[in-house]
Amino acid sequence: MFKDVFRYYKSRNPPPELTKVLDFDNVDTLESKIKRVTIKDIHDLKNYGLQPAKTWEAYELIEHPGLIFIKNPFSSIGQRYWTVRCLQDYTKRPNKTNLDSFKLVPEGKEWWDVCQNNHDKLLLNKLRWVTLGYHHDWDTKIYSEDNKGEFPKDLSELSRHVAQALDFNFNAEAAIVNFYHMDSTLSGHTDHSEQNLEAPLLSFSFGQTAIFLLGGKTKEDAPTAVFIRSGDIVVMSQDSRLCYHGVPKILQMDSRFWDCFNQNNLVNKEFREVVHICKEETLWKPFADYLNSSRINVNVRQVLKRGQKRLCSESEDKK
Ligand SMILES: O=C(O)CCC(=O)C(=O)O
C-alpha cells in the first residue's frame, strides 16, 4: 500500500492529482483531520531564528496520533541562518557526507568553498547527506561510540527549545541532514536505530516543498500525504515515532519565505559571521540559488535513554 501511494506521487507522467495532499496553508480544509496542539511559552527563541512561541500554529493529525506539524515558526533570517549552517558549516569535516568515499573534495579544502570557487554545479548537486553526532551507519543501521562526532550546539539548542514548546524533554545526539534536488526521493522507511524510541524525532525543512508520506507500522497501512514547505517542522512522537514515512516528490515552491526579508533580529553571538552572511544579499545569494532548486531536511534524533551515558557495545548488551 505504502509503495503504491509512493509510486503514485512520484510519477511524472501522468503527474499526480494533489487535491488529497494535506495542506497546512489551508487549515480550513483540514478541520476533521487535525487538532490544534498547545504550545508552551518558551523564551530566547529569536537566537535560533524562531518567532515567539505564542505565534506558532501546531497541529496533530487525528489519524496519526503523535505526528505534530508546526507551520513555519521561523523568521526569514532564521531560515537563512539554518541554510547557511547546513551548507557551509555542517558539511565540514569531520562530519561525514556521502562524498567522503569518492575523495572529490581535496584534503584541507571544504565542499562548499570548492563548489563556489570552481562554480562546480556537478559537485554541488552530488551532496546527498551529512551526518552529525552519532553517525548513522547506512549499512548496519547501528550507532556506535566509535563512530561519533561533536553535535552542533546551536542545532541541539534549537531542537531542545522546539521539543520543550511541545512539552517533550529532548537531547539531540544524532542528525541526518538530507539534501534533495527536484528529482530526488526518499523511499519509505522507519527510523528505529535509536536506543531511545520514546523520544520524538524532529525534522526541519528549508527550501523547496516536499510531499511527505506518513504511513503506519507496516507497509500495508495506507499513508497520508502532507505538503512540507520551507520552515515547517514535523515531529514524530508516540504512536507515530516508528511509522513508515518517505518523500516521493519535491515540488517547485509556492513562495520564497527566505526572501520576505525584514531585518528581524537574530542575535547569535557565537555565529556572528553566519548572521552577517544572512544579512548581506551578495553573500547570501549563492545560498538562495541553492534553495531555489533544492530542499534541505534536518532530521534530529535522541539516541540514548534518559540517564544513559553511552552506548553499550553489542557484546556488553548480551551480558
Ligand atoms: O526529508 C524528510 O522530510 C524526511 C527525512 C527522513 O525521513 C529521514 O532522514 O529519515
Side-chain angles (χ1 to χ4, degrees):
M1 192 63 150
F2 191 100
K3 273 195 178 150
D4 298 334
V5 180
F6 191 94
R7 226 176 279 131
Y8 174 78
Y9 282 111
K10 184 181 169 186
S11 167
R12 281 162 193 272
N13 204 358
E17 169 69 61
L18 300 180
T19 45
K20 289 212 179 106
V21 183
L22 304 194
D23 184 352
F24 285 89
D25 268 4
N26 291 304
V27 276
D28 298 350
T29 61
L30 305 180
E31 251 172 27
S32 57
K33 300 199 165 86
I34 58 173
K35 60 179 184 206
R36 191 103 188 208
V37 171
T38 318
I39 298 289
K40 276 177 54 180
D41 201 11
I42 306 287
H43 299 282
D44 291 336
L45 295 181
K46 71 170 185 288
N47 295 1
Y48 304 98
L50 291 163
Q51 311 272 15
K54 60 177 179 302
T55 66
W56 295 12
E57 276 177 58
Y59 304 93
E60 184 173 9
L61 298 193
I62 291 169
E63 278 190 19
H64 299 274
L67 193 286
I68 300 170
F69 186 98
I70 309 176
K71 211 174 148 216
N72 175 26
F74 290 93
S75 59
S76 15
I77 193 166
Q79 293 207 19
R80 289 186 179 199
Y81 175 88
W82 293 107
T83 301
V84 174
R85 289 288 283 151
C86 287
L87 289 169
Q88 176 191 270
D89 298 336
Y90 297 162
T91 49
K92 286 184 178 161
R93 297 179 175 107
N95 297 336
K96 299 202 168 180
T97 81
N98 64 303
L99 302 176
D100 292 348
S101 46
F102 302 106
K103 310 242 180 284
L104 295 171
V105 180
E107 277 303 316
K109 297 242 168 24
E110 300 298 350
W111 167 80
W112 179 254
D113 299 336
V114 173
C115 292
Q116 295 311 309
N117 297 340
N118 304 345
H119 305 288
D120 192 339
K121 191 109 203 278
L122 223 60
L123 183 59
L124 195 71
N125 286 339
K126 280 206 165 104
L127 183 78
R128 302 310 307 269
W129 54 259
V130 170
T131 52
L132 310 170
Y134 282 107
H135 295 294
H136 180 75
D137 185 316
W138 298 87
D139 299 320
T140 64
K141 312 243 184 286
I142 297 171
Y143 294 113
S144 124
E145 289 297 328
D146 305 329
N147 188 16
K148 174 186 171 187
E150 207 174 308
F151 196 93
K153 190 160 162 267
D154 55 352
L155 183 56
S156 160
E157 287 292 288
L158 169 75
S159 307
R160 192 170 62 80
H161 280 93
V162 169
Q164 214 180 342
L166 297 171
D167 219 6
F168 290 114
N169 249 310
F170 186 78
N171 198 16
E173 290 159 339
I176 301 176
V177 187
N178 297 293
F179 299 89
Y180 296 84
H181 306 298
M182 299 317 294
D183 57 353
S184 309
T185 59
L186 178 69
S187 51
H189 64 281
T190 59
D191 296 310
H192 51 262
S193 303
E194 297 69 31
Q195 294 202 346
N196 186 337
L197 294 170
E198 276 76 54
L201 183 154
L202 308 186
S203 159
F204 304 93
S205 296
F206 304 101
Q208 300 306 314
T209 301
I211 295 180
F212 178 79
L213 293 186
L214 181 77
K217 299 251 160 66
T218 78
K219 281 198 163 177
E220 304 318 313
D221 298 318
T224 300
V226 184
F227 287 119
I228 300 182
R229 297 194 171 83
S230 195
D232 292 340
I233 303 176
V234 172
V235 177
M236 293 176 71
S237 72
Q238 298 156 4
D239 281 2
S240 285
R241 174 63 182 79
L242 286 173
C243 286
Y244 274 91
H245 57 284
V247 177
K249 199 168 199 74
I250 306 293
L251 300 162
Q252 204 69 37
M253 76 231 143
D254 309 73
S255 54
R256 300 176 190 191
F257 298 101
W258 54 91
D259 273 351
C260 319
F261 195 52
N262 37 15
Q263 284 284 334
N264 29 36
N265 36 14
L266 192 155
V267 211
N268 198 318
K269 292 194 185 101
E270 278 180 69
F271 297 100
R272 274 181 221 273
E273 274 178 43
V274 176
V275 176
H276 178 64
I277 293 174
C278 300
K279 289 183 173 173
E280 282 293 325
E281 292 303 323
T282 47
L283 298 177
W284 162 250
K285 177 149 187 327
F287 299 93
D289 289 346
Y290 185 90
L291 283 192
N292 285 340
S293 57
S294 310
R295 168 176 186 259
I296 302 174
N297 172 262
V298 189
N299 215 273
V300 186
R301 297 109 192 258
Q302 174 165 344
V303 174
L304 303 176
K305 295 185 180 156
R306 271 235 253 168
Q308 189 180 354
K309 294 271 183 298
R310 58 193 295 280
L311 287 171
C312 313
S313 65
E314 260 180 69
S315 53
E316 276 173 281
D317 255 352
K318 286 186 190 122
K319 279 180 199 163

